[in-house]
Amino acid sequence: MIGLLGRGDDPCLERVRDAADDRGIPHVLIDEDALSDASLRLDLGVDGVRGVLRTGAGVVDLDLLTGLYARALGPAEPTGAAREVSALLHEWLDVTEVLVMGRPASMFSNSSKPHQARLIAAAGLAVPTTLVTNDPEAVREFRSRHGRIIFKSISGIRSIVREVDDAALARMDRIRDLPTQFQARVEGTDVRVHVVGESVFPTRITSTALDYRYAARDGLACDLEPWVLAPDVEQACISVASALALPLAGIDLRVGEDGTVTCFEVNPMPAFSYYESNTGQPIAAAVAAFLDRPRTGAARHTDDDESEVA
């Protein structure tokens, strides 16, 4: 049996649940918005941490799951028991021996984009020439050297990628109190690659927007289609995801006309439903199948009726 943890109306969770239904894979949904009457017992023993979750829907022995897909964002209204149980579940995700797709600890690389870029480069993908600074003169020199440059946040908080045009350059003194990441603009075609274990799902994005995620907001078109990458690039994507301890990863690439590949960042909790709905790629099915694998070693059982998974 596989577990699904997150908000029950999350499109990614819904797609994995539907894929599990279609393939006859037993599953249990742990809805973070339905934990107001829940309790979680964690026991630390010589063989690790065992967790038993009680909700109004039944009892889940977390140790008996073959794997768990976590889109753990916390309850929409975090109050009382829901907040406490959700926080404990997030801690359990990092210490359990159950296969977890989306451990909180694996998200840390995304909290610093410069740090993540170093890890990506070490794993085999090229990254853009980058400057992180709060010195306006350094930015002006960087732009003079590279011609066209963009800027974005250095943290894991989503930001809209914008170009440093003359108007932005005139406001550059504002960065003195906020170190910002600047990169040489890379020309080419955007490709989002979802890695699920050893499976790779590339999607080509065609748009005139600098940041295609906000194309509609800028009144621009954005078309998505399944794509094929060179085998060595696919393998590099798998290596990057593995190096970042991400069984599921969303990797943002740009492929130049000469075939050069540049990686901008790796999303550790990708909202793949947007790409799947536009391309028909079976990403959710791959997630369900990846989690529905026999676990190595004997599963631990409880000593009472709480061993039953609801």
Side-chain angles (χ1 to χ4, degrees):
M1 174 174 286
I2 68 173
L4 310 173
L5 171 63
R7 297 174 185 169
D9 60 352
D10 183 283
C12 291
L13 281 183
E14 290 179 338
R15 284 182 172 270
V16 176
R17 183 175 57 190
D18 290 344
D21 280 334
D22 291 343
R23 288 154 183 78
I25 299 173
H27 58 280
V28 59
L29 171 65
I30 302 171
D31 187 347
E32 290 189 292
D33 282 335
L35 297 176
S36 60
D37 61 347
S39 64
L40 175 63
R41 174 181 169 183
L42 297 179
D43 292 322
L44 177 61
V46 294
D47 56 350
V49 177
R50 175 189 152 219
V52 177
L53 175 68
R54 289 181 174 274
T55 71
V59 179
V60 181
D61 188 329
L62 300 172
D63 282 317
L64 298 184
L65 300 174
T66 60
L68 184 140
Y69 172 46
R71 289 269 297 171
L73 303 174
E77 297 182 5
T79 58
R83 180 182 63 246
E84 295 175 4
V85 171
S86 179
L88 282 174
L89 279 170
H90 290 203
E91 293 184 15
W92 173 83
L93 290 173
D94 274 335
V95 298
T96 180
E97 294 179 6
V98 172
L99 171 63
V100 174
M101 185 174 279
R103 292 185 191 269
S106 297
M107 309 291 166
F108 291 159
S109 69
N110 193 48
S111 62
S112 169
K113 291 295 194 295
H115 171 63
Q116 188 190 69
R118 291 175 63 89
L119 298 177
I120 292 169
L125 283 174
V127 296
T129 303
T130 301
L131 170 71
V132 178
T133 187
N134 64 343
D135 182 352
E137 287 305 317
V139 177
R140 295 185 178 96
E141 191 278 330
F142 190 70
R143 183 177 185 240
S144 175
R145 180 154 35 103
H146 293 286
R148 302 182 70 181
I149 64 174
I150 59 92
F151 66 97
K152 58 176 132 176
S153 166
I154 63 175
S155 73
I157 298 174
R158 174 178 283 197
S159 61
I160 302 176
V161 178
R162 296 297 189 192
E163 185 165 352
V164 180
D165 54 18
D166 290 341
L169 202 64
R171 303 190 300 270
M172 202 51 60
D173 282 348
R174 297 180 182 180
I175 71 166
R176 293 188 185 279
D177 297 321
L178 181 66
T180 304
Q181 180 172 228
F182 301 87
Q183 293 179 331
R185 175 161 177 166
V186 177
E187 301 296 339
T189 300
D190 286 309
V191 178
R192 160 57 77 93
V193 182
H194 289 97
V195 177
V196 184
E198 297 288 321
S199 299
V200 178
F201 302 93
T203 301
R204 184 175 77 164
I205 300 98
T206 303
S207 178
T208 56
L210 180 59
D211 190 335
Y212 71 84
R213 300 169 302 174
Y214 300 93
R217 180 173 172 173
D218 294 335
L220 301 172
C222 183
D223 297 317
L224 284 68
E225 62 180 323
W227 198 242
V228 177
L229 293 172
D232 62 321
V233 178
E234 284 200 355
Q235 187 55 54
C237 289
I238 294 172
S239 297
V240 166
S242 177
L244 298 180
L246 296 172
L248 170 64
I251 302 177
D252 291 322
L253 305 179
R254 187 162 287 173
V255 182
E257 291 185 358
D258 60 355
T260 57
V261 176
T262 304
C263 179
F264 292 124
E265 62 182 73
V266 178
N267 189 323
M269 191 187 288
F272 65 80
S273 55
Y274 167 70
Y275 301 88
E276 182 172 273
S277 64
N278 279 277
T279 66
Q281 294 169 306
I283 303 170
V287 170
F290 181 82
L291 296 173
D292 185 41
R293 301 185 301 175
R295 288 176 55 181
T296 58
R300 295 187 296 277
H301 294 272
T302 62
D303 296 325
D304 51 35
D305 290 340
E306 290 180 344
S307 61
E308 181 179 354
V309 178

